[in-house]
Amino acid sequence: MASENASATPQYEPLPWTRSPLPKSIGLIPKNEADDLLEKFDALVERRATPADDWGREAGRQIYWPCDASRVRVLPDGILFLEEEGPEHAEKLEAKLKVLFPRGVAVWGIGQSKHGVFNGAYDATLRHWVKAELIFSPVAVMSLDASFFMVCDEQLRFTVLGGAPHVLSEVDEAFGGVATLRLLFNQYVDDCGIGFGDPDRQWARGHLTSW
C-alpha cells in the first residue's frame, strides 16, 4: 500500500521540521486510501473530555478511547514503551504485530493527517522515526484492516489500545497476560510515570485505569 516517496502523493503537506530522509521501510499511503482508513479509525474511537480538576487543569483535555469499552488496554509510555528500562516488552509486541499484520500499519498524527498517513512494518525503525521525526501527539497507529489500533500520547506518556479480541489476546501474551499488563500499568501510574507529578497521577488513576 505504501508509496515509495512523497512525490507520489502531492496532496499531502510536507513535514516542515524533518531532519532526515524518510526511512526506506516507511512510505506514504495514497490520500484516497488514507481517507478510508481515517474514516474507519473515527468509527472505532471516541474522544472523552475529562473534567477540570482541583489544580485548574483545562476542562478540554481529551482521551481517545475505544468505542467498545470491553476491548481496551493501556500501556505505559508512548510509542517507545519504556525502552530505557529494557526493550523486552516492545520487542515481543513488535514480533506479534509483524506476524498479525504482514502489510504493516498506518501511522499519523491525530488531527494532522494533512502531513501524511504513513505505512510501514511495526518495528523499531518505525517507532523511533515517529518519536524523532513525526513529533505529533497523540499519534495513531492502526492495522490496515482496522482490526487493531493504538493512540500514543507522547506528552503524558501513555498508550491506549483497542481492537479485535484475538489481537488483544496476543498483546496480553506479550506482556505475560492481561492481569500482568494491568499491574504493570497501575505501577507505572503509581510511580508518577504519566505526566508531570501528582496532579497527573491522580488524573490517570481517575481516567485511565478502569479497564
Side-chain angles (χ1 to χ4, degrees), residues 165-188:
H166 75 280
V167 180
L168 292 183
S169 68
E170 294 290 332
V171 173
D172 295 340
E173 187 176 311
F175 287 85
V178 65
T180 302
L181 175 55
R182 188 177 288 113
L183 181 64
L184 176 70
F185 181 72
N186 288 343
Q187 185 62 56
Y188 176 70

Side-chain angles (χ1 to χ4, degrees), residues 7-136:
S7 63
T9 55
Q11 303 96 326
Y12 289 124
E13 297 179 17
L15 291 167
W17 52 79
T18 50
R19 297 162 292 179
S20 304
L22 194 65
K24 292 182 179 180
S25 59
I26 302 172
L28 275 166
I29 296 175
K31 196 169 186 305
N32 61 326
E33 297 178 32
D35 288 344
D36 181 58
L37 289 172
L38 294 171
E39 280 188 24
K40 291 178 180 177
F41 178 79
D42 287 342
L44 292 169
V45 178
E46 61 183 8
R47 288 183 290 181
R48 294 183 173 182
T50 61
D53 57 29
D54 294 339
W55 298 277
R57 194 173 312 286
E58 70 278 10
R61 173 181 279 186
Q62 295 180 329
I63 24 180
Y64 291 81
W65 205 255
C67 294
D68 187 341
S70 68
R71 300 181 183 180
V72 180
R73 303 291 186 271
V74 188
L75 301 182
D77 215 325
I79 199 162
L80 293 186
F81 297 137
L82 295 174
E83 285 199 350
E84 69 277 7
E85 297 184 11
E88 64 274 7
H89 291 315
E91 291 174 354
K92 289 178 182 177
L93 187 58
E94 282 179 14
K96 288 185 176 295
L97 294 186
K98 285 180 189 176
V99 171
L100 288 166
F101 309 118
R103 294 191 298 151
V105 295
V107 181
W108 68 94
I110 294 179
Q112 298 295 333
S113 60
K114 65 182 180 181
H115 292 295
V117 177
F118 300 87
N119 173 224
Y122 183 83
D123 58 16
T125 298
L126 177 74
R127 295 188 304 108
H128 282 273
W129 177 81
V130 168
K131 185 70 173 180
E133 298 289 347
L134 196 57
I135 320 179
F136 289 124

Side-chain angles (χ1 to χ4, degrees), residues 148-163:
F148 173 74
F149 63 88
M150 304 162 47
V151 178
C152 307
D153 190 314
E154 298 299 320
Q155 293 180 329
L156 295 180
R157 302 191 304 276
F158 67 90
T159 296
V160 176
L161 280 65

